[in-house]
Amino acid sequence: MSEANQQGPGPTEIHDPRLRFEFKRAAIWIGMVLLAAGVVVLAGPLMLIAGGMVFAVMLDGGTRLLGRVLPIARGWRLAMVILATFAFLGWVFWWAGTSLAGQFGELRDAVTVQANRLLDWAASSGFFPDADFSMVSGQVVGSVGRVTSILGSAVGGLAAGLMILVIGIFIAAEPRLYDRGIAWMLPTESRSTFYEISDRVGYNLRRLLAGRLVGMAFEGVFTYVMLLIGGVPLAALLGLLTGLLAFIPNIGAIISGLLMVAVGFSAGTEQGLWAIFVYFFVQNVDGYIVIPMIAKKTVDLAPALVLAMQLIMGTLFGFLGLLLADPIVAAIKAALEAYAEEKNEPATETKTPPG
């Protein structure tokens, strides 16, 4: 007996077809109202839950990958992945705190000097009279999106990150438990479809995030090596930031490129030109070689669609929405594709429920 049929009737089980039709129609309108209200009122918690689910997918993907070479119980594999993740994060923070702490100040000063030079040139040309970097940067940060109260301070950001980690660990430990809980609230005939959509979304997200991690590692290491060869200062810091910002397609590359060029010209014209070359070289190699190779194995998303979603999510939910825009687009695309395939299947075809 399939998993969908093993569960008993849920609270939404309605047998009268007329009542079921009216209930569905009312549920659509109520759902739209609740969705609009949730965007306004529950923006912070919703983004934390979404972040936890994305982190759970990453943990689940690592656990499954480890299972290919280490045939032990899933709980032990998940524990190893969690320990490796925390060890890596701890190493990054320790390295950034001990080796790169002073370089962050140098990076800020270099970017500020170069930005003020650019604004002085723009002011002398009549484009932005009486503008300085602090004023412009404040306007840019303010226009990215509203910052929810839970992310309004350093302590709030740390607490939000901890909540994402905890939610992700709980979901990754028993993913089917939460699937069954959601399926129980659906009508019986819709449960098989839900399980298929859930499996498709999880599969695509695992592949997307795995490809994104590979791309981040490539961009970070390659940028560091190239900048080091050209004598550009803060090569290690710029490589680390480039790799981390590569998680955000389109926008992350622009930000890392601006930082790279600003630091390069702070050291001299040759270093600045080399930084420009490194940026375009890395992005072209990544865009024409690495990303297409990864896209064949993962989820291929249209760049314009991702950028539009980033603008919308950044405006609605701030930085966290910008960070999660890509996985959310991939999840929506996978869900719609699975739903369309389910609806287009012949009525006589026997569907295999998820095991």
Side-chain angles (χ1 to χ4, degrees):
M1 184 179 295
S2 66
E3 186 175 356
N5 295 327
Q6 287 177 350
Q7 297 175 277
T12 57
E13 198 70 36
I14 301 175
H15 297 286
D16 188 345
R18 290 177 299 177
L19 182 60
R20 185 162 58 241
F21 173 77
E22 294 296 333
F23 177 80
K24 288 182 178 179
R25 187 165 62 176
I28 291 175
W29 288 105
I30 295 174
M32 293 178 63
V33 173
L34 292 177
L35 180 62
V39 169
V40 176
V41 179
L42 301 175
L46 287 175
M47 284 297 97
L48 292 181
I49 294 173
M53 294 176 67
V54 170
F55 182 61
V57 170
M58 298 175 67
L59 293 179
D60 184 57
T63 302
R64 291 170 181 262
L65 184 63
L66 189 60
R68 296 182 178 182
V69 296
L70 196 60
I72 58 177
R74 173 185 167 82
W76 290 108
R77 287 185 277 120
L78 178 61
M80 294 173 64
V81 172
I82 293 174
L83 290 176
T85 301
F86 279 102
F88 174 75
L89 293 176
W91 174 80
V92 169
F93 281 110
W94 173 82
W95 184 52
T98 57
S99 304
L100 304 179
Q103 295 188 12
F104 276 103
E106 296 179 25
L107 175 64
R108 182 191 62 241
D109 296 339
V111 172
T112 302
V113 170
Q114 297 303 318
N116 283 327
R117 288 180 181 177
L118 181 62
L119 291 175
D120 290 340
W121 173 83
S124 63
S125 302
F127 293 108
F128 300 104
D130 301 327
D132 58 22
F133 178 70
S134 60
M135 179 185 67
V136 174
S137 61
Q139 294 176 351
V140 170
V141 171
S143 65
V144 169
R146 61 185 180 86
V147 180
T148 58
S149 58
I150 198 169
L151 300 176
S153 63
V155 176
L158 183 62
L162 182 61
M163 291 177 64
I164 290 176
L165 295 178
V166 172
I167 292 173
I169 291 173
F170 277 123
I171 295 178
E174 283 288 344
R176 273 299 178 188
L177 175 65
Y178 301 94
D179 280 349
R180 289 194 296 267
I182 297 176
W184 179 77
M185 294 185 291
L186 299 175
T188 305
E189 65 270 12
S190 301
R191 292 174 183 175
S192 295
T193 302
F194 167 77
Y195 282 123
E196 292 179 7
I197 293 176
S198 176
D199 290 342
R200 171 73 70 87
V201 171
Y203 176 76
N204 285 348
L205 279 182
R206 286 193 300 270
R207 294 166 71 90
L208 172 72
L209 294 174
R212 190 57 44 80
L213 292 176
V214 172
M216 291 170 61
F218 167 79
E219 287 197 30
V221 174
F222 201 27
T223 299
Y224 165 68
V225 173
M226 294 290 289
L227 293 179
L228 195 63
I229 293 174
V232 178
L234 312 179
L237 177 59
L238 290 172
L240 176 63
L241 293 177
T242 300
L244 294 177
L245 289 171
F247 188 82
I248 311 175
N250 306 321
I251 297 177
I254 296 174
I255 297 174
S256 62
L258 292 175
L259 294 175
M260 198 184 307
V261 172
V263 173
F265 277 106
S266 69
T269 304
E270 293 183 1
Q271 288 82 353
L273 295 176
W274 178 258
I276 294 176
F277 167 75
V278 170
Y279 171 73
F280 283 104
F281 182 73
V282 171
Q283 293 304 317
N284 277 277
V285 171
D286 187 60
Y288 290 102
I289 299 178
V290 179
I291 290 181
M293 292 176 61
I294 295 175
K296 292 179 181 179
K297 301 290 185 180
T298 61
V299 183
D300 192 10
L301 298 174
L305 176 63
V306 175
L307 181 59
M309 190 66 172
Q310 288 173 342
L311 295 176
I312 294 173
M313 295 292 292
T315 302
L316 291 175
F317 305 112
F319 175 74
L320 195 55
L322 180 67
L323 190 67
L324 298 175
D326 194 30
I328 290 176
V329 169
I332 294 175
K333 178 184 177 183
L336 292 177
E337 288 177 346
Y339 182 77
E341 291 177 4
E342 176 74 14
K343 290 301 180 182
N344 291 332
E345 285 182 356
T348 57
E349 183 177 345
T350 303
K351 293 177 291 184
T352 303

